[in-house]
Amino acid sequence: MVQQGKRILSYFGTVVLVCLVALQPMSHGQSGPGAPIAQGTRWQTQYYITDSNEPGPDVMIIGGVHGNEQAGARAAEHIRHWKITNGRLVVLPRANVPALNANKRSMPDLPKERSNLNRNFPKNDTDQPKCTLSKAIWDLVRSEEPDWLLDLHEGADFTQVNSDSVGSSIIAAEMPEVGDHARRMLRVLNETVEDANKKFVLKGPPTRGSLARAAADRLNTKTMILETTMKDQRISRRTRQHRIMVHCFLSSLGMVGSDMDVLVGDDKSDDAIRVAIYDAGGVGIKGPRNLEQDLRGIENVVVRRVGVPEISGGALDQFDVVVAPGGSASKQALALGGDGRGAIVEFVRNGGGYAGFCAGAYLASNNYTWSLKIVDAQVIDRKHWKRGAGQVKIELTGQGRAILYDRPGLIGIRYANGPILAPALDPNIPDFEALAHFRTEIAKNGAPEGVMIDTPAIITGRFGKGRVFCSSPHPESTKGLEPLVRRAIQWAAGR
Ligand SMILES: [Zn+2]
């Protein structure tokens, strides 16, 4: 059918082939989304095929079986965009969509004895899958017949410290080849883990009822479960650990043609805004989460959390905007290091967008030894940076109402030790434009009164070919200001 499709294409153009592809189930030799599994049910979810059209292993990667184990689902969503030089890669990134949406381990609304998806796969030769979703996944595995299956999970704690958890381990099926690969993956990954207690270890076999166990026992598939650890670790780090393991694995099979920090597809015809949220040292826990929630309201957006290795390694080239959330700017700067800060500056200079909230606005400013100096604004009254947190009022300027949010009068917004900004008058950077001013203030911990009032609360500026947005207060943690956050990101993306 592929050959036929190509022949028809030469006569009638792209539209015909697109229709043919859409109507056909995926077969070998094709790449793209497969027909959704559990179609028409609340469990419906999408898998993706990348076929190199060269001989090689068939590998299946699954993420999101447990809905609170976000890093596995996120990593699989990145990995599905990797290029494959040999064999075939099938990725089901969000296996358990209702649980992922609820951020819950269990399947919502199912009786307790059937609520753990990873115990619902056949336990012996005659057993059947115990729920609609496990049946759909089991059918997919049986029809794809992968040589290898990697299931990406997370544990609550580091298994070396707390043996009640399997966090930071690879749980390998009892097959010699699987152990060999797992040990190689552990060696490579553990080079990036400094704390001895947090190093990954080999475990196995997978528990009865799990997909990895069922596929190994019943289908002779070589399987392993990769477990990162949620405790005290950023999503960006955990997600990258999954990518390191999978990349190492695919490399030793001679399959992978992409860097491990490829996070999005390189086809930009969808016109989506690609947003990288910095999620590592110096960032508060809530900022990235709130930003992700707000950005979901943009119709066509791809959001990824990135850490220092991704930024330093040039991964921002895949994005339109980088976001620096709240937290501590000096700690963000320290964690990013010279390479990370330099990569952000170059990204903006070359046309990228920057959006900084609170700490992210300090980071962009002009007058700290560690700041990025990508906006012509200096922080004043630096001595009293800890002036307090609470609700304040801002007022949008005409330009602010045009760009961000067409609302007259005073707007309540959360403030937490954000920078008090003034023009830096740097001749090398265009002057910033105020989009909003503070109309009330907070002056605790010895901060003098009257300094904050009427200073710019939200500003924009140009740096090189790029756009810089800075907000001293927190629209992303103020109910009702979600549209303002979305417009800020769209503006920074040049939309
Ligand atoms: Zn799990």
Side-chain angles (χ1 to χ4, degrees):
M1 276 309 272
V2 178
Q3 282 309 313
Q4 197 184 338
K6 280 181 184 158
R7 237 174 286 133
I8 293 171
L9 174 70
S10 62
Y11 293 109
F12 298 108
T14 316
V15 176
V16 176
L17 181 60
V18 168
C19 292
L20 278 174
V21 168
L23 290 172
Q24 284 173 46
M26 271 293 164
S27 63
H28 281 249
Q30 295 180 342
S31 295
I37 64 166
Q39 198 154 15
T41 75
R42 63 184 295 218
W43 312 105
Q44 179 171 324
T45 184
Q46 184 69 59
Y47 71 99
Y48 302 87
I49 297 169
T50 308
D51 198 327
S52 66
N53 293 309
E54 297 291 337
D58 270 20
V59 174
M60 184 179 275
I61 310 275
I62 296 189
V65 164
H66 290 136
N68 62 330
E69 299 167 11
Q70 298 275 331
R74 287 171 187 257
E77 179 61 30
H78 306 166
I79 291 163
R80 78 174 179 87
H81 294 289
W82 289 0
K83 293 200 172 15
I84 296 302
T85 55
N86 290 86
R88 193 162 176 272
L89 181 67
V90 176
V91 183
L92 175 65
R94 293 169 60 79
N96 191 348
V97 174
L100 282 163
N101 289 344
N103 198 26
K104 290 269 169 14
R105 175 179 172 83
S106 302
M107 306 173 78
D109 311 322
L110 258 68
K112 199 164 179 284
E113 66 277 11
R114 283 194 291 135
S115 66
N116 183 350
L117 175 58
N118 213 27
R119 301 293 178 273
N120 285 355
F121 293 92
K123 291 188 173 161
N124 56 50
D125 286 350
T126 53
D127 199 16
Q128 295 300 316
K130 277 206 285 190
C131 66
T132 306
L133 182 54
S134 62
K135 182 179 183 311
I137 295 170
W138 186 241
D139 289 346
L140 176 67
V141 175
R142 283 197 312 178
S143 69
E144 287 294 333
E145 295 181 310
D147 303 305
W148 289 88
L149 187 153
L150 274 54
D151 194 6
L152 315 188
H153 284 249
E154 297 201 87
D157 204 350
F158 301 94
T159 193
Q160 287 207 81
V161 181
N162 174 1
S163 58
D164 290 344
S165 178
V166 292
S168 297
S169 70
I170 296 180
I171 304 170
E174 286 177 316
M175 299 161 166
E177 210 184 332
V178 179
D180 292 345
H181 274 275
R183 275 184 286 273
R184 190 175 308 122
M185 292 153 74
L186 290 169
R187 228 172 15 247
V188 170
L189 178 57
N190 279 337
E191 275 173 27
T192 69
V193 181
E194 278 179 25
D195 186 338
N197 288 327
K198 297 181 177 175
K199 289 195 187 279
F200 284 61
V201 296
L202 185 61
K203 284 179 170 292
T207 308
R208 239 173 245 287
S210 66
L211 175 61
R213 180 63 176 269
D217 286 356
R218 293 275 297 268
L219 310 174
N220 209 27
T221 311
K222 290 169 270 190
T223 64
M224 50 181 117
I225 305 175
L226 313 185
E227 298 270 3
T228 51
T229 299
M230 291 185 264
K231 187 178 181 181
D232 301 334
Q233 299 200 106
R234 303 274 168 176
I235 283 179
S236 70
R237 165 181 287 245
R238 290 140 51 193
T239 307
R240 190 164 196 270
Q241 289 181 332
H242 275 296
R243 292 202 309 272
I244 290 172
M245 288 188 275
V246 174
H247 195 271
C248 170
F249 171 76
L250 295 175
S251 298
S252 36
L253 291 181
M255 286 178 67
V256 69
S258 285
D259 185 88
M260 71 174 75
D261 291 329
V262 166
L263 307 174
V264 300
D266 56 8
D267 175 13
K268 299 212 166 164
S269 61
D270 61 1
D271 214 30
I273 299 178
R274 289 163 166 78
V275 183
I277 300 178
Y278 172 61
D279 169 44
V283 173
I285 295 295
K286 288 180 186 167
R289 192 187 64 200
N290 289 335
L291 285 159
E292 277 182 355
Q293 267 163 17
D294 290 352
L295 296 186
R296 255 175 232 150
I298 297 178
E299 199 181 320
N300 202 356
V301 68
V302 174
V303 183
R304 301 285 191 254
R305 297 212 196 172
V306 297
V308 178
E310 292 94 324
I311 291 175
S312 305
L316 290 182
D317 289 352
Q318 302 168 53
F319 293 90
D320 301 305
V321 182
V322 61
V323 181
S328 158
S330 58
K331 286 181 185 159
Q332 289 179 10
L334 186 68
L336 282 161
D339 288 352
R341 296 198 300 269
I344 294 176
V345 171
E346 285 314 300
F347 169 71
V348 181
R349 196 196 307 277
N350 293 327
Y354 177 97
F357 296 87
C358 194
Y362 277 105
L363 186 64
S365 72
N366 198 279
N367 61 325
Y368 290 88
T369 50
W370 42 259
S371 62
L372 299 177
K373 304 172 181 67
I374 54 174
V375 66
D376 192 27
Q378 59 169 317
V379 179
I380 58 169
D381 197 17
R382 280 167 47 171
K383 194 173 154 212
H384 301 105
W385 68 269
K386 211 172 177 181
R387 60 184 53 241
Q391 285 285 117
V392 298
K393 303 268 191 213
I394 60 167
E395 185 177 16
L396 291 163
T397 63
Q399 188 67 351
R401 285 175 62 179
I403 292 179
L404 290 179
Y405 197 33
D406 190 12
R407 204 166 113 188
L410 300 181
I411 299 171
I413 193 166
R414 181 171 164 74
Y415 171 86
N417 301 317
I420 309 305
L421 298 170
L425 306 175
D426 183 332
N428 300 313
I429 310 177
D431 294 346
F432 70 76
E433 187 162 27
L435 299 192
H437 293 98
F438 287 114
R439 293 305 186 213
T440 66
E441 70 175 353
I442 292 182
K444 294 177 192 160
N445 299 320
E449 283 181 21
V451 172
M452 177 172 165
I453 271 191
D454 295 337
T455 62
I458 302 177
I459 63 171
T460 56
R462 305 280 176 152
F463 180 78
K465 294 179 191 161
R467 296 164 167 237
V468 179
F469 169 94
C470 291
S471 177
S472 172
H474 285 286
E476 83 288 6
S477 60
T478 307
K479 237 183 164 35
L481 293 186
E482 298 85 359
L484 191 154
V485 176
R486 291 195 279 271
R487 283 297 303 135
I489 300 300
Q490 287 168 320
W491 179 85
R495 309 293 171 92

